[in-house]
């Protein structure tokens, strides 16, 4: 009986958090179109979320593109098909690895920062102070971060994709692949819907990472230790959900292909 | 004494609040009338700060009712009582100044948010409030650059900026040196002279007696006493006397 009650409590807690997450996500989304827009906060968050992750995304894209090309070339060489390396790198990076790797980098770097910042504001009563001053905290704290991330992550993904193409070419050129040959295979491997998939994924991931980070941060308790635990929880949850959603979005695009 | 109507007071009726299975408040009643400054006394962890948060609607009671100037805020959406809540300002225990903003931006925060005044008008009000609390030179500093006492005074300036009717103080003198305590007490007295009604929660008796006319004492989640200073001192209840003059019986309670 006690065991059942404990399970009930766990389930109730899970569904309550689930409901709270969707409520916050909906409220934050609706507020994108409502005044006040907090342009200054948007610019600060765009700088924090976007530019701060640029270098790490460039490095990730460069080395992933290089290793993709290297592995593809080893597989293609026995079949005298090394000219297809450009297309293989492009389809893998633009559709899958570019969005996922950029999202994982951002989830680790930015998601934890959002949670820690909001969590600290909660435990030092700054969020309560804002509410007392008449501020809508979703509009002030969540929506500018969401807007910044919705713009920044697709841009970071496009940069990661482009740099990975460059990295792939650096390796391919060593195998005598010309730039024209490298680029010409893109159209053989990819259709316009693939490019759309490559941009849709970071938009969904941006929404997930921001909302999980904000939800976790705003529900932080227990002082400094609680802030650390919340940041860790947000990163783990964001990363797992990014990978899960990647599959489902891919599946949806396969259906429409 | 002027007759105080329901529209000029803050009232809690039979409020119960539990968290994690622990009862913080049980059937708690209190009234804060305009012009009558009150202190809520109690040992640490007795639920004093919870009372302030319940009145401000930052948390909601499991049962009972809370009114601000006649409007019941219990179980309403935050947006419905946001205007009513603007009649109240609070000075949090740690100041709760916004880390990413300067002192000036902190003090003018509500005015900037409301957007009714021009930049120049807001700056003038900010400087006036900082002058009132004696930290005008700190205008462009960040909270991390201030001492504990200065943070409290900036928090008071922020509370004053929007000209509220009621100002709540959560342990305003905790962690301050005697000069800091004196400054805060004299500031509270000046606020009261300026027509503000204060509600303070503290366990610091000298500060309480220097700033309030009425007192409520919480003991074991219930209201143990309500009355004036003289009535408090003469109260025969053992819990009240133990709080006023702790003895060995209080050890490790």
């Amino acid at each position: 009986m006690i065991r059942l009650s404990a399970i009930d409590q766990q389930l109730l807690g899970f569904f309550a958090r689930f409901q709270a997450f969707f409520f916050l996500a909906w409220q934050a989304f609706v507020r994108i179109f409502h005044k006040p827009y907090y342009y200054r906060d948007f610019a600060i968050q765009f700088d924090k979320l976007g530019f701060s992750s640029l270098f790490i995304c460039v490095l990730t894209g460069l080395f992933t593109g290089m290793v993709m090309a290297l592995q593809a070339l080893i597989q293609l060489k026995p079949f005298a098909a090394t000219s297809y390396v450009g297309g293989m790198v492009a389809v893998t990076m633009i559709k899958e690895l570019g969005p996922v790797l950029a999202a994982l980098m951002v989830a680790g770097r930015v998601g934890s920062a959002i949670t820690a910042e909001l969590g600290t504001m909660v435990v030092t009563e700054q969020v309560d102070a804002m509410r007392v001053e008449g501020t809508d905290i979703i509009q002030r704290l969540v929506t500018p971060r969401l807007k910044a991330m919705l713009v920044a992550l697709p841009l970071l993904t496009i940069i990661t994709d482009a740099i990975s193409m460059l990295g792939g070419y650096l390796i391919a050129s060593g195998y005598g692949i010309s730039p024209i040959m490298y680029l010409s295979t893109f159209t053989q491997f990819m259709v316009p819907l693939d490019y759309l998939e490559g941009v849709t994924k970071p938009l969904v991931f941006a929404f997930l990472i921001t909302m999980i980070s904000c939800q976790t941060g705003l529900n932080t308790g227990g002082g400094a230790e609680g802030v650390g635990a919340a940041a860790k929880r947000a990163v783990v949850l964001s990363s797992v959900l990014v990978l899960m959603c990647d599959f489902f979005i891919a599946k949806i695009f396969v259906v429409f292909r | 004494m002027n007759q105080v109507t329901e529209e000029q007071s803050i009232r809690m009726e039979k409020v119960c609040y539990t968290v994690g299975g622990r009862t913080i408040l049980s059937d708690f009643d209190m009234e804060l009338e305009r012009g009558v400054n009150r202190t809520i006394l109690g040992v640490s962890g007795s639920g004093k700060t919870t009372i302030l948060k319940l009145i401000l609607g930052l948390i909601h009671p499991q049962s009972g009712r809370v009114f601000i100037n006649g409007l019941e805020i219990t179980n309403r959406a935050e947006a419905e009582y946001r205007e009513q809540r603007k009649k109240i300002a609070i000075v949090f225990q740690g100041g709760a100044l916004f880390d990413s903003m300067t002192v000036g931006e902190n003090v003018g925060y509500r005015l900037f948010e409301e957007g009714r005044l021009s930049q120049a008008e807001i700056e003038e009000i900010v400087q006036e409030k900082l002058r009132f609390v004696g930290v005008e030179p700190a205008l462009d500093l960040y909270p991390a650059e201030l001492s504990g006492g200065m943070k409290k005074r900036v928090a008071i300036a922020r509370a004053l900026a929007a000209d509220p009717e009621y100002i709540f103080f959560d342990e305003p003198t905790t962690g301050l040196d005697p000069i800091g305590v004196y400054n805060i007490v004299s500031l509270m007295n000046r606020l009261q002279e300026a027509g503000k009604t204060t509600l303070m929660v503290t366990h610091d008796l000298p500060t309480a007696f220097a700033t309030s006319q009425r007192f409520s004492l919480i003991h074991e989640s219930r209201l143990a006493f309500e009355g004036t200073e003289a009535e408090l001192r003469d109260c025969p209840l053992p819990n009240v006397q133990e709080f006023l003059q702790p003895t060995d019986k209080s050890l490790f309670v």
Side-chain angles (χ1 to χ4, degrees), chain A residues 131-224:
Chain A
R131 288 171 66 189
V132 174
E133 296 290 336
T135 301
D136 177 342
I137 59 159
I138 300 175
Q139 184 100 37
R140 174 91 201 201
L141 297 176
V142 182
T143 302
R145 285 170 172 82
L146 180 61
K147 283 193 284 193
M149 193 74 114
L150 285 172
V151 177
L153 191 54
L155 286 175
L156 285 170
T157 303
I158 290 168
I159 292 167
T160 306
D161 292 344
I163 296 291
S164 68
M165 299 295 118
L166 181 68
Y169 175 70
L170 288 177
I171 297 299
S173 63
Y175 285 75
I177 310 287
S178 71
I180 293 170
M181 197 188 294
Y182 186 77
L183 290 171
S184 64
T185 51
F186 282 21
T187 49
Q188 287 175 271
F189 278 77
M190 299 197 43
V191 293
L193 202 62
D194 294 332
Y195 294 101
L196 183 65
E197 185 178 346
V199 183
T200 306
K201 281 182 177 177
L203 280 172
V204 176
F205 297 159
F207 191 80
L208 273 178
I209 294 167
T210 316
M211 294 319 304
I212 289 168
S213 306
C214 289
Q215 165 81 358
T216 313
L218 289 174
N219 288 288
T220 301

Side-chain angles (χ1 to χ4, degrees), chain B residues 121-141:
Chain B
E121 287 171 315
I122 293 174
E123 281 172 10
E124 195 178 315
I125 292 171
V126 166
Q127 291 202 333
E128 180 201 325
K129 301 305 174 191
L130 286 175
R131 205 176 304 127
F132 183 81
V133 299
V135 286
E136 205 181 356
L139 182 73
D140 295 319
L141 297 181

Side-chain angles (χ1 to χ4, degrees), chain A residues 13-33:
Chain A
F14 172 76
F15 284 115
R17 284 196 295 276
F18 203 61
Q19 186 185 22
F21 173 79
F22 280 104
F23 180 75
L24 181 68
W26 172 248
Q27 296 287 320
F29 180 74
V30 167
R31 281 163 172 76
I32 289 177
F33 311 102

Side-chain angles (χ1 to χ4, degrees), chain A residues 31 36 38 40-41 44 48 117 120-122 124-138 140-141, chain B residues 49 53 56-58 78 81-82 85-86 88-90 92-94 96-99 101 105 109-110 113 158-159 170:
Chain A
R31 281 163 172 76
Y38 294 116
R40 185 167 167 254
D41 292 65
I44 291 168
K48 272 191 194 174
E117 189 180 356
T120 305
M121 288 183 74
V122 169
T124 55
E125 296 180 312
Q126 291 177 53
V127 171
D128 281 345
M130 276 190 175
R131 288 171 66 189
V132 174
E133 296 290 336
T135 301
D136 177 342
I137 59 159
I138 300 175
R140 174 91 201 201
L141 297 176
Chain B
T49 302
K53 291 190 173 181
L56 290 163
L58 296 173
E78 191 163 327
Y81 56 83
R82 203 170 274 149
R85 191 164 63 185
K86 284 182 179 175
I88 307 170
I90 180 168
F92 286 95
Q93 189 172 354
L97 300 178
F98 308 128
D99 293 333
M101 298 180 198
E105 288 167 338
Y109 180 83
R110 188 185 286 195
E113 282 285 291
R158 182 174 70 184
D170 186 2

